[in-house]
Amino acid sequence: GAVVSQHPSWVICKSGTSVKIECRSLDFQATTMFWYRQFPKQSLMLMATSNEGSKATYEQGVEKDKFLINHASLTLSTLTVTSAHPEDSSFYICSAPSTGIREDTQYFGPGTRLTVL
Amino acid sequence: EDQVTQSPEALRLQEGESSSLNCSYTVSGLRGLFWYRQDPGKGPEFLFTLYSAGEEKEKERLKATLTKKESFLHITAPKPEDSATYLCACTSYGKLTFGQGTILTVHP
């Protein structure tokens, strides 16, 4: 199956600093990637769709100036949490679709645990 | 608005005790229904994709089925290593809508 990696796997930062998370598709190209956020004991919530060569599309209620997304190449998307605060602490997961026979199957990265002190 | 509802929220089984997890969906323009397994602190691991009512797929002790309104994930003779959260998701127009998941615990 398709492999998606994320880096770092965890990060602890002070309030007010910015944190960058990388998402890479290792064995396939992805013009679109997705960023999710997951709080403890909750399901995944889509934050934004990252598009190679164009602006990201954000879901309702997600601050685009706070969560900066850059789709630098066909295998790399980055999420930067700017001026992070404790309420931004969460598990961030990216996914990338690998074209299937009838519908793209999304493969997920291992996730990044962000803790803001 | 697309909705995906999973039941039960949690399920405890003894090793070898077969059971089923349910996923009900209300999605306009369903393109596919997906099952994922998620272990604590990790990203979801892809299990199955189902596209049309009547379709079934199997993988080891797991079997997924699909009707026009719901999907079932059947677990036959589960083992402790099957313990995880099982997520159901539907896609329409490229975006996945997830259910809340079922936390499965299999006791030896």
Side-chain angles (χ1 to χ4, degrees), chain B residues 4 6 23 30 32-36 87-91 96-99:
Chain B
V4 180
Q6 291 186 246
C23 171
L30 177 72
L33 185 141
F34 301 84
W35 283 97
Y36 290 88
L87 297 168
C88 169
C90 294
T91 182
L96 279 179
T97 300
F98 278 92

Side-chain angles (χ1 to χ4, degrees), chain A residues 39-55:
Chain A
F39 291 105
K41 297 187 178 182
Q42 293 188 25
S43 193
L44 284 75
M45 294 297 295
L46 179 65
M47 298 176 62
T49 303
S50 174
N51 303 296
E52 192 270 337
S54 64
K55 292 183 178 180

Side-chain angles (χ1 to χ4, degrees), chain A residues 10-93:
Chain A
W10 59 271
V11 57
I12 302 173
C13 68
K14 293 182 178 180
S15 185
T17 60
S18 294
V19 175
K20 180 184 285 188
I21 302 170
E22 293 186 349
C23 175
R24 294 181 185 273
S25 55
L26 297 185
D27 52 359
F28 64 101
Q29 294 183 334
T31 56
T32 301
M33 292 184 177
F34 299 89
W35 287 96
Y36 295 82
R37 184 173 182 177
Q38 187 176 33
F39 291 105
K41 297 187 178 182
Q42 293 188 25
S43 193
L44 284 75
M45 294 297 295
L46 179 65
M47 298 176 62
T49 303
S50 174
N51 303 296
E52 192 270 337
S54 64
K55 292 183 178 180
T57 305
Y58 292 82
E59 296 300 299
Q60 190 173 7
V62 177
E63 300 176 59
K64 59 181 66 177
D65 292 332
K66 181 166 189 61
F67 299 99
L68 300 180
I69 291 173
N70 181 33
H71 202 129
S73 72
L74 289 174
T75 60
L76 173 64
S77 174
T78 60
L79 168 68
T80 301
V81 183
T82 62
S83 186
H85 289 92
E87 57 266 30
D88 298 322
S89 297
S90 189
F91 192 50
Y92 293 86
I93 312 173

Side-chain angles (χ1 to χ4, degrees), chain B residues 21 37-40 80-86 102-106:
Chain B
L21 282 56
R37 168 189 171 134
Q38 186 177 26
D39 292 300
E81 52 262 42
D82 294 323
S83 298
T85 297
Y86 289 85
T102 293
I103 302 171
L104 174 65
T105 305
V106 182

